[in-house]
C-alpha cells in the first residue's frame, strides 16, 4: 500500500501541508473540529516515533475576516500583508492550544523565499528545524506574508512544504488538498477521469494532467504547484503524497485506505545538489549546443567551448540554469565566472581563455561538482 512509505517505520520525519480551504471555512473561521482530528493524527504518529512538522496556510484568510477586508484579504499586496500579520497570531495560538491538549509543544517558524534560496540562511533554517524536531517539538511553518513581496515569495505553500522537507531532511511530504490526488483529467469536468496512484517521473504527460486552478478559490496553489512541489521532493529523495483533506482524520484515513497520488522519491544525491535542484530562482542562464548538452548528461562539466550565449546578470557563485538548444533547462549550477567574463569566452577553446580574460582561467563555466541535472 502506498501509505506505508509515510509510516513512522519508513519515514522518521514527515512534513504535512494544510491549505487555507481546509483550515478556514467560508466565514473566515478556523474549522476547529476538523483541525482537532488532524492534530490527533499527528499525535498518534508522534507517539509511534515519527517527527512531524506542519506547513500551515490560513493566516491571510483569518486576518481578512478580523479586518473586514474584501476578496479574502487578497485585493492588494498591502491587504495581504496586513491580513497575514493579523491572522498569524490567531493561527499560531490555535495550533499551540490544540497541540498542547495532546501533550505536544508547538513552535512557529515564518520564512520567506530568500530564506531558503540563500545557502547560508537555508542552512540556518535547517539547523533550527533539526533541533526542534530532535526535541520532540512540532514546528508550524508558514510563509512570512507580512513582509514578502510578489518578487520574493513562494506564492503557495505546496512548494514551501517541499523545500521545508529538504531542509528538515524529511523522508516524506503529505499535501492535504481539496482533491484526493492527480487525475488523468479534471474530475470536476470529466467523469471519465481516473486517479493516478503513483508517479515515478514527472514528464510532459504528467504535466499535461495538471490544472492550474485552485478548486476553492481561497488558496493560491493548484495542481501545477503541487507537481512542482513533487519535483522538489523527489530530487531530495523524499516521497510526496497528495491526498484529500476533506474528510475527518485525513492522515489516519490515508493510512487505512492509501487513496491518493504518491510521487516516489529518487535516489538521493548530495544535500547541496538537492538544494540547487529545489531552488525556485536563478540569476541567469547559459545556452549550450547539442554537444555540450550530451556531455552534461554524461556527468561532465560545462566548458566554454560548448556555450552559445549568456543571459542575465550574475556573479561568480550565483545559481544559473544551463539551457539546451531546444530552450529547456537541462542543468542548474553555480557559475564559475561572472556574466561579463562568461560572455567573452563562450564558444572558445580552453587554451584561448587566458589571452582573452587576462588571467588564468578556471576549468569550467560550471563545474560538475556544483551542478545538478534537471
Amino acid at each position: 500500500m502506498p501509505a506505508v512509505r509515510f509510516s513512522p517505520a519508513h519515514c522518521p520525519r514527515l512534513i504535512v501541508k494544510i491549505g487555507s480551504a481546509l483550515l478556514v471555512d467560508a466565514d473566515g473561521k478556523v474549522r476547529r473540529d476538523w483541525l482537532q482530528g488532524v492534530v490527533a493524527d499527528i499525535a498518534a504518529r508522534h507517539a509511534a516515533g515519527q517527527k512531524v512538522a506542519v506547513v500551515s496556510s490560513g493566516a491571510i484568510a483569518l486576518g481578512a475576516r478580523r479586518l473586514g477586508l474584501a476578496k479574502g484579504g487578497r485585493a492588494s499586496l498591502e491587504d495581504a500583508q496586513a491580513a497575514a500579520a493579523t491572522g498569524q497570531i490567531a493561527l499560531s495560538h490555535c495550533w499551540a492550544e490544540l497541540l498542547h491538549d495532546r501533550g505536544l509543544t508547538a513552535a512557529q517558524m515564518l520564512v520567506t523565499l530568500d530564506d531558503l534560496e540563500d545557502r547560508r540562511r537555508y542552512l540556518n533554517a535547517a539547523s533550527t528545524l533539526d533541533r526542534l524536531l530532535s526535541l520532540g517539538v512540532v514546528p508550524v511553518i508558514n510563509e512570512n506574508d507580512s513582509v514578502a513581496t510578489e518578487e520574493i515569495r513562494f506564492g503557495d505553500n505546496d512548494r514551501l512544504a517541499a523545500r521545508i522537507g529538504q531542509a528538515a531532511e524529511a523522508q516524506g511530504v503529505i499535501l492535504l488538498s481539496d482533491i484526493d490526488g492527480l487525475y488523468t483529467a479534471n474530475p470536476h469536468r470529466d467523469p471519465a477521469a481516473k486517479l493516478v496512484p503513483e508517479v515515478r517521473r514527472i514528464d510532459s504527460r504528467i504535466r499535461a494532467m495538471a490544472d492550474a486552478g485552485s478548486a476553492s478559490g481561497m488558496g493560491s496553489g493548484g495542481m501545477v504547484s503541487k507537481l512542482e512541489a513533487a519535483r522538489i521532493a523527489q530530487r531530495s529523495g523524499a516521497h510526496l503524497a497528495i491526498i484529500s483533506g476533506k474528510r475527518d482524520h485525513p492522515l489516519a484515513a490515508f493510512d487505512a485506505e492509501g487513496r491518493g497520488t504518491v510521487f516516489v522519491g529518487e535516489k538521493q544525491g548530495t544535500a547541496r545538489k538537492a538544494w540547487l535542484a529545489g531552488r525556485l530562482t536563478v540569476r541567469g542562464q547559459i545556452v549550450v549546443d547539442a554537444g555540450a548538452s550530451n556531455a552534461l548528461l554524461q556527468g561532465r562539466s560545462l566548458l566554454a567551448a560548448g556555450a552559445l550565449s549568456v543571459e542575465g546578470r550574475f556573479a561568480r557563485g550565483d545559481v544559473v540554469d544551463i539551457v539546451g538548444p531546444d530552450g529547456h533547462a537541462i542543468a542548474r549550477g553555480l557559475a564559475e565566472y561572472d556574466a561579463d567574463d562568461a560572455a567573452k569566452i563562450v564558444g572558445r577553446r580552453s587554451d584561448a581563455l587566458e589571452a582573452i580574460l587576462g588571467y588564468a582561467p578556471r576549468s569550467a563555466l560550471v563545474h560538475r561538482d556544483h551542478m545538478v541535472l534537471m
Side-chain angles (χ1 to χ4, degrees):
M1 183 179 290
V4 73
R5 300 181 189 273
F6 303 87
S7 66
H10 294 87
C11 179
R13 290 187 174 187
L14 175 70
I15 310 300
V16 178
K17 179 263 178 178
I18 301 173
S20 297
L22 296 173
L23 195 140
V24 182
D25 65 22
D27 295 325
K29 298 179 181 178
V30 173
R31 298 177 60 215
R32 193 176 179 89
D33 290 344
W34 176 85
L35 189 56
Q36 284 178 327
V38 174
V39 170
D41 288 351
I42 292 172
R45 287 172 171 268
H46 192 272
Q50 189 173 66
K51 307 297 185 184
V52 180
V54 176
V55 174
S56 175
S57 304
I60 292 177
L62 291 174
R65 174 181 177 272
R66 284 160 173 74
L67 298 176
L69 296 174
K71 298 183 179 180
R74 298 182 185 273
S76 67
L77 177 61
E78 292 79 10
D79 278 2
Q81 290 174 327
T86 304
Q88 191 61 48
I89 293 177
L91 182 64
S92 300
H93 176 75
C94 185
W95 275 108
E97 182 182 1
L98 293 180
L99 286 167
H100 180 267
D101 289 345
R102 291 283 177 172
L104 297 173
T105 300
Q108 177 181 269
M109 286 185 67
L110 298 178
V111 298
T112 64
L113 178 63
D114 276 358
D115 291 327
L116 300 182
E117 298 287 88
D118 178 87
R119 181 64 177 167
R120 179 175 295 180
R121 287 154 68 183
Y122 171 88
L123 292 174
N124 286 338
S127 178
T128 301
L129 280 167
D130 181 68
R131 185 59 178 150
L132 288 170
L133 291 170
S134 68
L135 290 169
V137 173
V138 179
V140 179
I141 302 117
N142 196 2
E143 184 164 14
N144 194 354
D145 288 308
S146 62
V147 299
T149 67
E150 292 297 335
E151 292 77 18
I152 56 165
R153 63 192 306 263
F154 281 90
D156 63 81
N157 274 355
D158 297 318
R159 293 180 296 175
L160 173 59
R163 288 291 264 165
I164 290 296
Q166 282 185 326
E169 297 185 348
Q171 294 77 29
V173 179
I174 294 178
L175 306 181
L176 297 183
S177 177
D178 49 13
I179 191 169
D180 55 355
L182 174 69
Y183 280 77
T184 54
N186 190 325
H188 299 300
R189 301 171 190 160
D190 186 351
K194 296 181 179 180
L195 180 70
V196 180
E198 183 178 283
V199 175
R200 291 188 173 272
R201 183 171 179 269
I202 300 174
D203 53 21
S204 58
R205 181 181 63 89
I206 295 297
R207 286 191 290 269
M209 298 177 187
D211 184 333
S214 174
S216 68
M218 185 182 297
S220 54
M223 192 55 69
V224 169
S225 74
K226 289 174 175 55
L227 289 190
E228 179 64 13
R231 182 191 68 81
I232 294 169
Q234 284 183 311
R235 294 305 298 268
S236 65
H239 308 303
L240 181 142
I242 303 172
I243 68 171
S244 174
K246 287 188 172 182
R247 57 199 307 177
D248 292 336
H249 295 276
L251 298 178
F254 180 51
D255 283 343
E257 302 169 8
R259 184 171 178 81
T261 299
V262 173
F263 296 81
V264 179
E266 301 173 0
K267 183 178 179 180
Q268 189 172 7
T270 66
R272 185 181 184 86
K273 289 195 173 187
W275 170 78
L276 278 172
R279 278 181 62 100
L280 302 179
T281 59
V282 294
R283 293 287 186 177
Q285 63 181 32
I286 301 173
V287 181
V288 302
D289 60 27
S293 178
N294 290 332
L296 294 177
L297 295 176
Q298 295 171 20
R300 298 177 184 171
S301 299
L302 173 61
L303 304 181
L308 298 174
S309 64
V310 171
E311 299 177 15
R313 302 296 305 170
F314 55 86
R316 185 187 180 210
D318 284 343
V319 178
V320 296
D321 274 346
I322 302 172
V323 178
D326 61 357
H328 291 102
I330 56 176
R332 178 172 294 169
L334 303 180
E336 293 286 343
Y337 292 86
D338 62 30
D340 289 339
D341 281 354
K344 293 175 184 177
I345 61 176
V346 292
R348 301 302 187 97
R349 293 174 56 87
S350 298
D351 56 12
L353 302 189
E354 185 171 1
I356 296 170
L357 297 172
Y359 61 83
R362 284 171 280 276
S363 61
L365 283 176
V366 181
H367 196 278
R368 64 183 183 182
D369 290 346
H370 308 296
M371 180 196 307
V372 61
L373 296 177
M374 301 297 289

